[in-house]
Amino acid sequence: MVLALALTAELIGVTSLRPLDDASNPFSYTFKVQCTSCRETHPNFVTLNRHETHEQSGSRGEANFVWKCKNCKREHSANIKAPPVPYEQSEPPKRVNILEFDCRGLEFLEFKPEGEFLATGIESNTPFTGIDLSEGEWYEYDEKAGEEVSIKEVKWEIRRA
Ligand SMILES: [Zn+2]
């Protein structure tokens, strides 16, 4: 099953919102995860990143995320299919799939935006780093544009791709 992490957000003065996620700064994507065999939900949030793989039992190769369900003892896995898609500013805000996962025997239920995000000033091209979206909003001042910039109404959804 392919699941997508979809983002909807109101961007004012900035665009190209994306997680800082490259080989030297891998982004840890944090999720609630559920076993699709027995519907057990992992008690804690789990993290995965697309630059790291883990061995699966048997000869099933490696995956970005491997989880053995404590309840039914089955082993499940997930892979991130491609780098995250930057979220572009639009009015009204659009819902965009920014990341896709190939999930085997598990489902992600909820995303927790922990980690650093980046964005770019629309007119000024000013790079913004260290954006924290854990509170669902972000405010900054773009010196070059002489304007306040912000990210608001941040909504994350997990849906079938
Ligand atoms: Zn299970």
Side-chain angles (χ1 to χ4, degrees), residues 86-102:
Y87 184 88
E88 305 301 336
Q89 192 272 349
S90 71
E91 190 53 54
K94 285 196 189 83
R95 181 166 69 171
V96 176
N97 291 354
I98 65 155
L99 206 62
E100 287 189 358
F101 309 89
D102 196 356

Side-chain angles (χ1 to χ4, degrees), residues 35 37-40 69 71-74 76:
C35 172
S37 302
C38 72
R39 293 287 155 194
E40 180 84 353
C69 175
N71 187 46
C72 71
K73 314 290 182 207
R74 287 198 178 94
H76 308 305

Side-chain angles (χ1 to χ4, degrees), residues 88-134:
E88 305 301 336
Q89 192 272 349
S90 71
E91 190 53 54
K94 285 196 189 83
R95 181 166 69 171
V96 176
N97 291 354
I98 65 155
L99 206 62
E100 287 189 358
F101 309 89
D102 196 356
C103 298
R104 307 271 160 104
L106 63 83
E107 227 173 288
F108 293 122
L109 299 180
E110 184 191 337
F111 175 66
K112 204 185 207 183
E114 286 186 340
E116 179 176 354
F117 288 82
L118 311 172
T120 308
I122 289 185
E123 302 288 333
S124 64
N125 241 1
T126 304
F128 292 97
T129 59
I131 297 174
D132 177 4
L133 294 179
S134 60

Side-chain angles (χ1 to χ4, degrees), residues 17 25 30 35 66-67 71 96 115 134 137 142-143 158 161:
L17 174 63
N25 304 283
T30 305
C35 172
V66 178
W67 172 47
N71 187 46
V96 176
S134 60
E137 50 187 18
D142 187 338
E143 296 282 348
I158 294 161

